[in-house]
Amino acid sequence: MTDSHLGRPLPVLFLLCVHAAVVSAGVGGGHERGGLPLPLPVTPFEEGYTQIFGDDNLVVHRDGRTVHLTLDERTGSGFASQDLYLHGFFSASIKLPSDYTAGVVVAFYMSNGDVYEKNHDEIDFEFLGNIRGKEWRIQTNVYGNGSTNIGREERYGLWFDPADDFHQYSILWTESKIIFYVDGVPIREVKKTESMGGQFPSKPMTVYVTIWDGSDWATNGGKYRVNYKYAPYIAEFSDLILHGCAVNPVDHFANCDNAPAGESMPTDISHRERAKMESLRKKHMTYSYCYDRTRYKVPPPECIINPKEAEHLQAFDPVTFGNGRHRRPKRHQGSGSATSL
């Protein structure tokens, strides 16, 4: 393994730290918030994050662990981790804006686009606002080595009101797989396969949290835009967890002191968790690139077709997932965004 940015082998300490971070973390245990287990120490804002835009549209509470991000007519807002991370467990409890939220995008994601402009990696949680009376949608996506022409989007309707209370959204990233969790339940697993080639995220990434105006694409392909009559739009973030092998972006020194011993991060999904995941996907998944027949005549090679998922999606949208003739709009660039219907 080499650091492609520095062009030299990664130090043995770095490799050992990555292994420790993946093995020692855990999804269970720890204190609880609203019945939701928080397995690992929460990282105070000043210790782990830096504001990247938004001026006074970012407010840190006195506890140092809760952050409000605001979108208004002037600007959105956002913050990022001070360090880069290679593999680990990353999590945030999020409460989304309520009422009319069309065009609003809230994102919790990882990226190294500022370091690797032409071959960046990315792992996305995006929350897409909607018109009054319709629900927020959640979108996940994965890019590796600049493969933005193959957006691996999946989208889901939520089974709760994300504006009513905090819910935990988590990313487990290892050398061989990525798992997305909602309230501790896996909703998606992306495995590294030979067929993906170098398109699996493999380089250190920064964690980003943002709220911004995605009017051009986020709600019905841009049909419904942000209406600032309902501003300010405020997203709340708490229980921020950064648990992995930290890589300082300046000197690229690896520090794994934040990996506590005695916890056990999962390296796979249990049978019980997989059953929950399959049930949620069957009920709530509304889009998956693997089944998009208007986009791909043949599914990308890493896709494993689940007949139950195929049947559900075809019933939901026979044009996209059946034999329809219409094509989906092209992807618009954002913070890891993809065109949403």
Side-chain angles (χ1 to χ4, degrees):
M1 183 183 297
T2 61
D3 181 338
S4 58
H5 179 60
L6 298 178
R8 63 172 182 262
L10 290 168
V12 173
L13 172 62
F14 180 88
L15 298 177
L16 291 176
C17 286
V18 171
H19 180 266
V22 171
V23 171
S24 66
V27 172
H31 69 285
E32 294 193 359
R33 175 192 181 91
L36 182 62
L38 291 177
L40 300 168
V42 171
T43 304
F45 184 87
E46 296 297 332
E47 294 182 15
Y49 303 91
T50 300
Q51 182 172 359
I52 53 176
F53 73 104
D55 299 324
D56 56 358
N57 277 10
L58 183 152
V59 177
V60 181
H61 283 213
R62 292 182 179 180
D63 62 7
R65 300 186 176 194
T66 303
V67 184
H68 282 191
L69 294 184
T70 297
L71 168 66
D72 57 27
E73 290 180 325
R74 298 179 302 111
T75 182
S77 50
F79 59 93
S81 61
Q82 296 173 8
D83 292 319
L84 297 156
Y85 293 88
L86 180 60
H87 306 148
F89 182 79
F90 310 93
S91 185
S93 290
I94 305 173
K95 184 178 179 182
L96 298 174
S98 60
D99 203 7
Y100 184 99
T101 55
V104 178
V105 179
V106 176
F108 169 60
Y109 67 107
M110 305 183 71
S111 178
N112 49 30
D114 58 335
V115 179
Y116 306 96
E117 294 182 5
K118 296 183 179 179
N119 62 332
H120 85 286
D121 305 307
E122 199 165 305
I123 304 173
D124 299 333
F125 259 123
E126 290 183 306
F127 306 91
L128 311 178
N130 219 326
I131 59 176
R132 183 185 285 117
K134 293 195 175 184
E135 301 174 346
W136 281 84
R137 293 137 305 145
I138 185 172
Q139 179 166 281
T140 61
N141 208 344
V142 172
Y143 297 119
N145 202 30
S147 57
T148 55
N149 61 319
I150 307 179
R152 295 180 167 89
E153 305 100 326
E154 286 193 354
R155 194 156 47 249
Y156 325 85
L158 291 169
W159 48 99
F160 51 81
D161 182 355
D164 185 56
D165 202 353
F166 285 90
H167 290 269
Q168 185 186 23
Y169 306 91
S170 310
I171 297 168
L172 173 66
W173 174 36
T174 75
E175 187 177 2
S176 61
K177 67 182 59 180
I178 296 163
I179 302 174
F180 295 87
Y181 296 86
V182 176
D183 288 340
V185 178
I187 63 168
R188 182 181 184 185
E189 178 184 36
V190 179
K191 292 183 178 181
K192 182 179 181 180
T193 63
E194 290 185 9
S195 59
M196 290 182 71
Q199 296 180 358
F200 186 88
S202 59
K203 301 182 289 295
M205 289 190 279
T206 301
V207 177
Y208 291 92
V209 181
T210 60
I211 184 171
W212 55 285
D213 186 330
S215 289
D216 290 342
W217 66 274
T219 308
N220 286 66
K223 179 179 179 180
Y224 300 103
R225 306 179 66 82
V226 174
N227 187 336
Y228 287 102
K229 179 178 73 173
Y230 300 98
Y233 298 99
I234 301 174
E236 302 177 60
F237 300 85
S238 187
D239 300 329
L240 299 160
I241 294 173
L242 296 171
H243 186 82
C245 190
V247 183
N248 187 290
V250 177
D251 57 18
H252 283 249
F253 176 76
N255 178 13
C256 296
D257 294 339
N258 65 337
E263 299 287 353
S264 178
M265 177 180 285
T267 57
D268 205 350
I269 299 175
S270 69
H271 292 298
R272 182 180 179 184
E273 289 174 328
R274 192 167 297 278
K276 289 183 178 180
M277 180 175 71
E278 291 178 356
S279 177
L280 283 175
R281 290 172 64 83
K282 181 179 178 181
K283 294 178 182 177
H284 302 288
M285 186 167 68
T286 59
Y287 177 83
S288 171
Y289 77 104
C290 283
Y291 301 93
D292 190 338
R293 294 189 179 184
T294 65
R295 188 175 182 180
Y296 302 109
K297 293 181 178 179
V298 177
E302 76 270 11
C303 291
I304 299 176
I305 301 302
N306 181 323
K308 293 182 179 179
E309 288 184 350
E311 182 180 0
H312 162 70
L313 289 173
Q314 186 169 353
F316 175 78
D317 185 348
V319 172
T320 302
F321 305 110
N323 296 311
R325 298 178 181 178
H326 303 296
R327 296 191 64 83
R328 298 172 69 247
K330 291 183 179 180
R331 180 181 184 274
H332 291 265
Q333 292 294 330
S335 61
S337 63
T339 301
S340 172
L341 297 177

